[in-house]
Amino acid sequence: MGRDMSTDTVTGPGRRRFLTGLPALAAAAALPGCGTAQDSATTRPRSQPAPAPASSAPRQRTRPLFLGTYTSAEGGGSGIGLATYDERTGRITGTGVVEGVADPSYLAAHPSGHTLYAVNERENGSVTAVRIAEGGTADVLGSRPTGGAAPCHLSVHPSGRWLLSADYGSGTVAVHPLEASGALGGRTDKVSHDSPPPGPGQDGPHAHQIVTSPDGGHVLAVDLGTDTVYTYRLDTGAGTLHEVSRATVRPGAGPRHLSFHPSGRYAYLANELDNTVQVCAYDPATGRLRPAAPQPTGTGPGINHPAQLVVTGDGRYAYLANRGHDSLTRYAVEAGGSRLRLLDTVPAGGEFPRHIALSPPGGLLFAANQRSGTVTVFHVDRRTGGLRPAGPAFRSPVAVCALPL
């Protein structure tokens, strides 16, 4: 392992005004180039208030939705997309953009819900903190370099004190402290995945995800280039990572994303390159991950690159996003989490579903479809796990991440 604890500097903070306010204040103004035709038809000037709902109409419950994009891609966005969604219908309404955040391809929220973090997926990688403020403004608190190239994933430690990030281009993972304001401190650690050697067809390590285990005891980093999942202990005083074990899958599998079962004893691994998933037993005491035999994705013989798995809050179902097949696979989770049983696949409703997420209440699933520039929403049947489209797709430039809160 290589380690770099050099100091770094913060870029200047700034203030970006939403086109409209937070969910409680949201008007029906769509993002430029975003939204369904139905959204555009109901847009009003900001100075003209919407009529009050009739007393007999059911109360509409809206929650915030944040959208990641590539600002450097042709047809990409200009920053972090802001929207709301209706918990009952799944309808998305665009509310603005936090402009000036470069290539925010992955997003994560602080446990408090008051700060949003974004990777800046560029050669000189960095991460950015955005304070979500009342009154329709967002304070860009600043950015810090990760010390690596092309960060593609980040997560907040459950303590709320540390931001963890994964650099795809350099195969490194980094740690930044979080201040009480939500702002980022200077990097406290960076670890390089120097071994094992890269897998077949790979030019080096490619860290694709970093996540904390449900018990909070370990941090796991998934590396597509070395076909390995690394387990670390995080020193929560110093903000440093210390490797305790590693799990290597078959050469050329290309592990991309790991999702835990709510029990914390099992996790599910999506392998991007060989189009498989694996159930992994997890030991909270040691941090050791033990992958079982690869399983099919249900997408048939064509080219497919699994992107991400999510697991329902009750632990009964899991869903996989399939890029290439442009579908969502549904699995039944059985035997206490130790087994996945393939049920079916349904169309994703867009092209190249790169990211999927369940709403916190669990009744909706969101799919960010990169190549079609859309976000599709599905109702989740709590009894069967079945997915049913919630309505027309929401237009969002080069949609690569959808984060519902």
Side-chain angles (χ1 to χ4, degrees), residues 70-166:
Y70 283 116
T71 59
S72 60
E74 182 179 356
S78 59
I80 299 171
L82 305 169
T84 63
Y85 66 95
D86 185 319
E87 284 186 85
R88 181 176 54 86
T89 66
R91 177 189 170 114
I92 298 174
T93 300
T95 60
V97 178
V98 181
E99 297 182 332
V101 182
D103 289 323
S105 64
Y106 198 88
L107 310 171
H110 192 278
S112 69
H114 295 307
T115 311
L116 184 71
Y117 300 96
V119 299
N120 304 116
E121 193 173 340
R122 295 194 166 181
E123 183 61 28
N124 295 319
S126 59
V127 287
T128 296
V130 178
R131 180 74 174 178
I132 304 167
E134 294 291 344
T137 60
D139 294 314
V140 179
L141 299 177
S143 300
R144 296 276 187 173
T146 63
C152 64
H153 188 272
L154 80 175
S155 61
V156 183
H157 188 266
S159 67
R161 295 177 53 208
W162 306 98
L163 184 73
L164 311 165
S165 57

Side-chain angles (χ1 to χ4, degrees), residues 203-278:
D203 57 0
H206 293 299
H208 218 302
Q209 183 197 27
I210 185 165
V211 64
T212 305
S213 59
D215 62 292
H218 297 93
V219 171
L220 293 91
V222 180
D223 196 295
L224 182 149
T226 62
D227 295 314
T228 299
V229 180
Y230 302 84
T231 300
Y232 301 96
R233 282 197 181 277
L234 173 67
D235 183 326
T236 55
T240 53
L241 295 169
H242 306 275
E243 186 184 338
V244 296
S245 84
R246 60 180 66 173
T248 301
V249 298
R250 66 182 181 181
R256 176 186 175 94
H257 191 274
L258 186 79
S259 292
F260 275 92
H261 187 269
S263 69
R265 301 306 299 264
Y266 297 95
Y268 312 108
L269 186 63
N271 294 317
E272 175 178 336
L273 300 182
D274 73 356
N275 190 25
T276 64
V277 299
Q278 291 178 263

